[in-house]
Amino acid sequence: MSEGRERGGYGQKVRLINIGFGNMVSAGRIIAAISPESAPIKRIISDARDKSQLIDATYGRRTRAVIITDNGSIILSAIQPETIAARLAAMSDQDAADTGNEYRGDAPSQTERN
């Protein structure tokens, strides 16, 4: 598991995803990974900075992804949103393989089809 790490405690499993330069974020807390180019996203970044809810994990590099978490924190990353999404998908695939379940997206289950 090179891109993500897991830590168990109190019966729960925390999956950590690498967002660049060895920085990790809890995969379960990520709501969105988006490009920082649009004006509304730039406004979200500015507002988060003013509220002290901004975490800059770019190490001075160009911001390529803005990660929005469920607790309102905004995280800046120097890797592409597509890369983050691919790492999350790989982690989901690994979870499915571990549990024997296969992720089927929004496909209806067999009982819903009947």
Side-chain angles (χ1 to χ4, degrees):
M1 191 185 286
S2 62
E3 293 303 335
R5 297 203 168 105
E6 66 181 78
R7 185 186 74 187
Y10 302 106
Q12 67 182 7
K13 191 185 288 188
V14 176
R15 296 284 193 171
L16 299 176
I17 186 165
N18 185 341
I19 60 162
F21 304 107
N23 296 301
M24 302 289 194
V25 175
S26 175
R29 290 202 166 271
I30 295 175
I31 293 175
I34 51 182
S35 173
E37 304 302 320
S38 72
I41 301 306
K42 290 179 181 179
R43 200 167 23 258
I44 288 172
I45 293 169
S46 178
D47 291 348
R49 185 175 283 120
D50 293 343
K51 295 177 188 175
S52 297
Q53 291 183 320
L54 183 71
I55 300 168
D56 188 346
T58 63
Y59 282 75
R61 306 241 185 0
R62 179 174 169 239
T63 300
R64 295 178 186 225
V66 178
I67 301 168
I68 300 174
T69 63
D70 64 350
N71 66 359
S73 293
I74 306 297
I75 304 168
L76 305 180
S77 175
I79 63 174
Q80 295 286 345
E82 293 85 3
T83 304
I84 295 169
R87 291 177 183 180
L88 284 169
M91 192 175 291
S92 293
D93 291 346
Q94 181 63 40
D95 286 344
D98 290 346
T99 60
N101 295 326
E102 181 181 330
Y103 176 72
R104 293 185 181 99
D106 293 328
S109 69
Q110 188 66 20
T111 56
E112 292 174 335
R113 287 185 208 148
N114 296 332

